[in-house]
Amino acid sequence: MIERRSAGEIEAITAAGRLLSGAMDMARGMLAPGVTTGEIDAAVEEFLKEEGATPLFKGYRGFPASTCISVNEEVVHGIPGDRALVSGDIVSIDIGVGYGGWCADAARTFPVGDVADERLALIEVARGALAAGVESLYPEMRLVELSRAIQGFVEARGFSVVRQYVGHGIGRKMHEEPQVPNFVDGSVRQATMVLPEGCVLAIEPMVNAGGYEVTTLENGWTVVTKDSLPSAHWEDTVVITESGGVVITG
Ligand code: MG
């Protein structure tokens, strides 16, 4: 069942989104060669706690940190730690925020120092894929139209979209109905599911420079590309309104 949120509820989710946006800006400002992913994670956690917000990932199914930070060939769910960033890295930062009983979720991939053109292109395609998804939104549309908009944008540019991880509804909980694939999966569910006005989605294309296949490292969390080529991840929490998609974490 897909929830339709009232104006008041959307305002409350937007308050969580605004805090997330502030945390993301702060994290972006820290990015430099020599900074560790653990330092960024600690700063985000402190920022959120000072605002009275909760980092939703901490303890989620046992996840040990407040953010997911995934570098280069890491796709999602990277565990922050003592890894120091170097010039040429691309870094995906994923943050979930709980505030006033509501949730918001967003991710960005940023370059560190002097980054190769093809990696910058990958980041732009992931960002553009999210934008294409948001632009496709209108009330009572079918889920498959959103998935097709994202996949089409990515594949037209010669990159691939991860299939194993998908976006999701969000609201009282971080993960709600429906699952939001970034590709057309051929299912009846996807072809027939209607997205109502007032529904809130975390749309999150994960885009690979090479093939779409991924695998999980022995730590049980970090997802990497099978071909070890880089990956980028952009995510926003978005409301479907009468006039289209409105990003509340941008
Ligand atoms: Mg998410």
Side-chain angles (χ1 to χ4, degrees):
M1 144 112 198
I2 302 178
E3 299 280 352
R4 286 169 188 264
R5 302 298 181 187
S6 68
E9 289 172 332
I10 288 167
E11 210 171 290
I13 300 172
T14 303
R18 234 179 266 125
L19 286 176
L20 196 164
S21 202
M24 186 67 79
D25 286 347
M26 189 215 54
R28 179 182 201 168
M30 291 178 72
L31 290 174
V35 172
T36 70
T37 55
E39 288 166 346
I40 296 165
D41 182 72
V44 168
E45 180 172 324
E46 191 182 325
F47 177 98
L48 293 176
K49 285 187 171 164
E50 276 175 9
E51 297 286 349
T54 309
L56 290 174
F57 299 164
K58 192 146 201 180
Y60 182 83
R61 296 185 180 169
F63 189 76
S66 291
T67 60
C68 296
I69 302 185
S70 308
V71 183
N72 299 335
E73 79 285 359
E74 296 173 354
V75 179
V76 285
H77 306 162
I79 301 174
D82 55 14
R83 178 179 187 160
L85 300 175
V86 299
S87 181
D89 282 343
I90 60 171
V91 182
S92 303
I93 301 174
D94 194 349
I95 304 175
V97 170
Y99 185 68
W102 294 93
C103 302
D105 193 0
R108 301 279 185 266
T109 300
F110 300 118
V112 178
D114 194 15
V115 171
D117 285 347
E118 55 267 32
R119 290 183 167 211
L120 294 175
L122 174 68
I123 292 173
E124 278 311 295
V125 170
R127 191 184 63 79
L130 172 58
V134 172
E135 280 161 25
S136 77
L137 298 174
Y138 64 93
E140 313 304 324
M141 70 186 286
R142 308 281 158 169
L143 174 62
V144 68
E145 298 173 69
L146 167 59
S147 303
R148 187 183 291 123
I150 293 169
Q151 181 178 22
F153 185 93
V154 172
E155 293 183 353
R157 286 155 183 80
F159 295 94
S160 65
V161 139
V162 171
R163 284 144 167 71
Q164 207 169 320
Y165 297 89
V166 299
H168 47 94
I170 184 165
R172 283 293 186 188
K173 289 187 291 181
M174 182 163 57
H175 295 129
E176 296 188 351
E177 282 295 302
Q179 290 198 0
V180 181
N182 298 301
F183 66 103
V184 177
D185 62 15
S187 69
V188 171
R189 181 196 85 96
Q190 191 187 44
T192 57
M193 181 171 283
V194 171
L195 302 178
E197 185 176 340
C199 90
V200 182
L201 304 173
I203 302 174
E204 51 175 321
M206 289 144 256
V207 177
N208 292 354
Y212 65 77
E213 297 90 349
V214 299
T215 188
T216 304
L217 297 184
E218 272 175 27
N219 65 23
W221 283 105
T222 311
V223 177
V224 297
T225 56
K226 255 192 183 157
D227 56 18
S228 299
L229 291 172
S231 185
H233 181 203
W234 276 69
E235 175 180 25
D236 273 313
T237 298
V238 183
V239 187
I240 298 184
T241 74
E242 193 183 19
S243 50
V246 173
V247 172
I248 64 159
T249 43

